[in-house]
Amino acid sequence: MKVLIAILVLGIQVNAFGASIKRRAVLRDKDFNAVIDEVTLPDLTSDVGYEGKYFKIVHGKNNEAIRFDDSEDLQLKAATTYYHLNVARKFFAEKIKAQYVQEMPQVIIRVDLINVFNELGHFANDKLDPQFNNALSIPAGIGYEPKGVKPWGNEIWFRPSKDINIKDFKGIVDYGGSVKGALVNFRNQNHMANLELFMVVVLNGGLQSGAGITSVMRIAGSSLLLEAIYQSSDIAAQFFSRKNYHLDSALVPEIIYHEFSHIALSDHLELTHSTPVNEGLADYFAGKIANSKKLATKINDYNLFSGKKVEKKQQYRIGFERGEYANADFVFGLLWNVGDTVGVDIENNFIYGMTSLLTTNGTIRDDLINATLEACKLHCKSPFNDRLRLYKLYNSKNM
Ligand SMILES: [Zn+2]
């Protein structure tokens, strides 16, 4: 009897620390297909909901964690974000040994939140331009006491999905003239620059006649990472379809990694706005965290910087830096190649070390390149020769 009680007490203790709590979440199998399987949720501090040492997953504007007795749909999002955020955190805290991430307080994660971010009020009014089909990381704020807005820390927001028919895309795009207007529209819906470009490709599929637009799209490129997600014929593919676009960002591991990477890099790269450099970096780390051979092959084959199977690889253009031709994919391809070129990578913190030399408004041609050359002095095996290799690489790209 004593033994039985001891086991029961032990059992409760294990539960209290969350070590034995298992839930269903979206995972990748070795072929990069999405599957739903049981996972153990690490570092839980609650035994009633999705709150742990490092993350609390809440629904919309709520402050309480999503509960283990909430609807299955909501729990799938909570479990998937919770699990993959911990994977991403572990990558930065343990593999890269990023002190900033090791010391980071608990981050609040909001799923199915439609509000626009407001720097003063945290959430904009419910009726103002509701957001769908994307994800973003928001910077901490000091709050606004007269209106009862409490201070908040860095947060990640996942939007609910919503079907958008290609026909409705066409409605947004003014074929005759303003591609720019169309892109601005997409940008407003998609903070994540790559997702925006990806949507343009989806849109392109429905716009065979728009030859003018097609050429612009090609310059703008597409997000390799999201294309890879789109191409995998699986549960993830159900998130997209040809005629109806929708995206449940809280169920896509690489989007979760991408968003956490923004948070992890926010000591130097603020969360206030997107640039090709900080988006390309977030994709780079998302690709590394995913640690999938299949995905790496896709990146090596199809990145527009150097992809083996890409016919027209991209040369650097000044337009990549900002505005509607901003090109996060070029940066992603560049970063993926820089590590390969000098034969060092995550293991000795080359790319991560470089981020400490960057600021939020860094340019590709000046700041990013200089940062890689500087970081190479510290982290490359043979700094002199490796720097020559990098110069050669950049020259070949017109940089
Ligand atoms: Zn992003």
Side-chain angles (χ1 to χ4, degrees):
M1 192 62 184
K2 257 186 186 167
V3 174
L4 187 62
I5 289 165
I7 288 169
L8 282 175
V9 169
L10 194 69
I12 290 162
Q13 274 183 341
V14 168
N15 244 352
F17 289 113
S20 66
I21 298 225
K22 289 188 171 180
R23 280 296 183 275
R24 281 153 54 81
V26 178
L27 302 171
R28 293 275 179 214
D29 67 12
K30 64 175 180 7
D31 293 321
F32 200 65
N33 294 322
V35 290
I36 295 179
D37 209 347
E38 239 178 32
V39 294
T40 301
L41 303 175
D43 294 308
L44 280 174
T45 52
S46 164
D47 48 12
V48 296
Y50 295 83
E51 174 162 18
K53 227 165 136 183
Y54 308 114
F55 302 100
K56 178 160 83 170
I57 320 292
V58 305
H59 186 212
K61 291 190 282 185
N62 288 352
N63 286 318
E64 303 308 318
I66 292 169
R67 294 174 56 91
F68 296 135
D69 56 8
D70 273 325
S71 78
E72 248 178 63
D73 274 9
L74 189 57
Q75 283 201 62
L76 185 64
K77 292 177 188 179
T80 302
T81 50
Y82 187 89
Y83 177 79
H84 290 288
L85 284 163
N86 276 289
V87 169
R89 185 198 166 276
K90 199 169 170 188
F91 177 91
F92 280 99
E94 292 177 20
K95 190 158 190 183
I96 287 188
K97 299 187 174 59
Q99 201 186 348
Y100 178 65
V101 174
Q102 289 165 357
E103 292 168 0
M104 192 176 280
Q106 186 195 55
V107 182
I108 307 284
I109 311 299
R110 301 185 182 278
V111 301
D112 285 355
L113 179 71
I114 58 166
N115 301 69
V116 171
F117 172 62
N118 183 294
E119 278 173 30
L120 282 179
H122 198 180
F123 311 111
N125 187 290
D126 287 356
K127 285 175 191 141
L128 186 85
D129 197 14
Q131 300 283 301
F132 300 94
N133 299 329
N134 66 6
L136 83 160
S137 306
I138 61 132
I142 54 169
Y144 187 61
E145 208 149 307
K147 293 257 172 179
V149 181
K150 296 204 175 92
W152 66 90
N154 291 339
E155 295 183 353
I156 303 175
W157 294 2
F158 294 93
R159 307 319 199 164
S161 71
K162 181 186 178 185
D163 277 343
I164 299 176
N165 195 289
I166 290 291
K167 274 190 245 153
D168 298 326
F169 274 145
K170 287 180 181 173
I172 296 168
V173 178
D174 177 3
Y175 294 32
S178 175
V179 172
K180 190 180 170 185
L183 286 168
V184 167
N185 240 322
F186 283 116
R187 192 169 301 119
N188 289 338
Q189 280 293 316
N190 294 280
H191 179 79
M192 204 165 107
N194 284 346
L195 182 54
E196 156 207 329
L197 296 179
F198 169 72
M199 288 180 74
V200 167
V201 173
V202 174
L203 168 73
N204 217 4
L207 281 176
Q208 308 307 8
S209 59
I213 291 175
T214 308
S215 62
V216 173
M217 301 315 173
R218 201 166 293 136
I219 295 166
S222 61
S223 169
L224 194 57
L225 204 59
L226 279 144
E227 247 184 64
I229 294 163
Y230 182 62
Q231 281 165 5
S232 54
S233 53
D234 53 31
I235 300 167
Q238 293 170 21
F239 304 152
F240 308 94
S241 79
R242 214 174 143 76
K243 283 186 182 161
N244 284 305
Y245 175 87
H246 70 172
L247 175 68
D248 232 323
S249 56
L251 297 179
V252 184
E254 297 73 28
I255 294 180
I256 299 167
Y257 302 153
H258 174 104
E259 291 306 329
F260 184 76
S261 298
H262 279 308
I263 300 280
L265 301 175
S266 64
D267 50 347
H268 297 286
L269 301 163
E270 291 167 49
L271 300 170
T272 46
H273 58 283
S274 287
T275 67
V277 171
N278 65 31
E279 294 302 335
L281 275 163
D283 265 4
Y284 170 84
F285 284 109
K288 291 293 173 183
I289 297 165
N291 194 24
S292 152
K293 268 193 185 155
K294 268 268 158 99
L295 177 62
T297 304
K298 278 184 178 170
I299 295 169
N300 289 331
D301 285 349
Y302 295 107
N303 84 78
L304 296 173
F305 185 86
S306 65
K308 290 184 204 106
K309 295 187 178 168
V310 177
E311 274 178 36
K312 278 197 171 173
K313 296 177 190 54
Q314 292 185 0
Q315 293 289 101
Y316 173 83
R317 294 161 195 233
I318 191 85
F320 290 175
E321 301 284 359
R322 289 283 182 280
E324 73 245 49
Y325 302 120
N327 196 325
D329 276 16
F330 184 82
V331 176
F332 180 28
L334 183 150
L335 292 168
W336 204 263
N337 270 275
V338 162
D340 274 355
T341 302
V342 296
V344 296
D345 201 359
I346 290 297
E347 288 69 22
N348 75 0
N349 292 355
F350 174 49
I351 299 291
Y352 181 72
M354 180 199 79
T355 63
S356 68
L357 305 170
L358 289 170
T359 58
T360 311
N361 288 312
T363 60
I364 304 168
R365 187 160 63 184
D366 295 320
D367 303 314
L368 182 66
I369 286 188
N370 282 337
T372 62
L373 293 169
E374 279 304 306
C376 190
K377 283 185 191 166
L378 290 172
H379 299 291
C380 289
K381 276 181 203 130
S382 45
F384 184 78
N385 286 328
D386 287 338
R387 278 156 60 86
L388 278 183
R389 286 192 190 103
L390 288 179
Y391 277 117
K392 226 175 124 187
L393 176 71
Y394 299 142
N395 261 331
S396 75
K397 287 289 156 187
N398 232 350
M399 302 180 81

